[in-house]
Amino acid sequence: VNTIYETDLFTPLIKKVESLSDTKYGAHIETDYAVRAVAEHARSATFLIADGVVPGNEGRGYVLRRLIRRAIRHARRLGIANECLGGIAEITIRDMGSIYPELRNHREFIITTIQLEEKRFNQAFTSGYAVLEDALQGKNKLEGELVFRLWDTYGFPVEMTQEICKERGIEVDFEGFQSEMESQRQRARVSGKFTE
């Protein structure tokens, strides 16, 4: 075969994403990229959670959270509005569980962790993405203040904002974002000081 995605390790996952999204793998390069991303990221998340990693803001937990969020974003691009990663994790556990018994041993924990993170992020994605879409209309540069507001108010990840903008050829004012972050830190320091 030409790619790893055509091997028996991935074809069941690809077929699951096809059925969830009502798309056909191999028909369009952008759709194929999204299908592969959903399949690969869900599979990787399954293995990470089986190894005891949970979504977080630092280290391996941060990597896991980003994998799950990117999978959700690509699932949305394919028209999958509902939680879907748990079903893909189930296939990974079924197909790889005999070789990696920790997948079967931790099945409940894996599925629950993925579903909780997916549910949590879907709420942030829905509200933040609508704001981002409105803001991107007719622009070639996204203001740092808006990037900060998306992150601070809606929990919309900065990396995802950057990725979406990059795909559309829109520059991100990252310095402006950093400035807003520093302003927030200073406000937090001032409000955190106690008076005698």
Side-chain angles (χ1 to χ4, degrees), residues 166-179:
K166 183 179 178 184
E167 288 171 359
R168 299 179 188 195
I170 297 172
E171 187 182 344
V172 175
D173 175 19
F174 200 68
E175 287 180 17
F177 168 75
Q178 294 290 6
S179 176

Side-chain angles (χ1 to χ4, degrees), residues 22-91:
D22 199 28
T23 59
K24 182 70 179 145
Y25 184 72
H28 192 270
I29 193 165
E30 287 185 22
T31 303
D32 290 355
Y33 178 81
V35 169
R36 290 191 303 259
V38 173
E40 173 57 37
H41 290 1
R43 179 179 181 266
S44 298
T46 303
F47 276 97
L48 281 168
I49 296 167
D51 282 345
V53 180
V54 293
N57 293 326
E58 296 177 354
R60 298 183 324 158
Y62 179 71
V63 172
L64 173 60
R65 177 165 279 162
R66 286 209 52 199
L67 280 171
I68 293 171
R69 290 178 173 188
R70 284 194 84 233
I72 294 167
R73 179 170 170 271
H74 285 291
R76 289 290 180 101
R77 289 178 70 192
L78 293 169
I80 304 171
N82 301 322
E83 283 89 19
C84 66
L85 302 183
I88 299 167
E90 288 277 12
I91 293 171

Side-chain angles (χ1 to χ4, degrees), residues 7-157:
T7 66
D8 59 354
L9 295 175
F10 279 95
T11 51
L13 303 175
I14 298 289
K15 288 185 186 310
K16 178 69 173 177
V17 178
E18 282 180 313
S19 71
L20 290 168
S21 63
D22 199 28
T23 59
K24 182 70 179 145
Y25 184 72
H28 192 270
I29 193 165
E30 287 185 22
T31 303
D32 290 355
Y33 178 81
V35 169
R36 290 191 303 259
V38 173
E40 173 57 37
H41 290 1
R43 179 179 181 266
S44 298
T46 303
F47 276 97
L48 281 168
I49 296 167
D51 282 345
V53 180
V54 293
N57 293 326
E58 296 177 354
R60 298 183 324 158
Y62 179 71
V63 172
L64 173 60
R65 177 165 279 162
R66 286 209 52 199
L67 280 171
I68 293 171
R69 290 178 173 188
R70 284 194 84 233
I72 294 167
R73 179 170 170 271
H74 285 291
R76 289 290 180 101
R77 289 178 70 192
L78 293 169
I80 304 171
N82 301 322
E83 283 89 19
C84 66
L85 302 183
I88 299 167
E90 288 277 12
I91 293 171
T92 302
I93 294 166
R94 179 197 73 200
D95 292 351
M96 303 297 288
S98 60
I99 302 164
Y100 299 97
E102 63 271 19
L103 293 173
R104 287 185 180 161
N105 295 341
H106 302 293
R107 182 193 165 279
E108 293 288 326
F109 180 67
I110 293 167
I111 301 301
T112 301
T113 302
I114 286 176
Q115 288 174 338
L116 285 173
E117 184 66 20
E118 195 171 12
K119 193 169 289 188
R120 182 180 303 122
F121 182 63
N122 267 332
Q123 295 166 347
F125 186 86
T126 301
S127 52
Y129 189 71
V131 173
L132 179 60
E133 277 294 318
D134 286 345
L136 293 179
Q137 299 304 313
K139 289 196 178 174
N140 57 7
K141 185 170 185 175
L142 188 65
E143 305 86 8
E145 181 277 326
L146 182 61
V147 177
F148 177 77
R149 187 162 42 94
L150 284 167
W151 174 78
D152 188 49
T153 306
Y154 300 100
F156 200 82

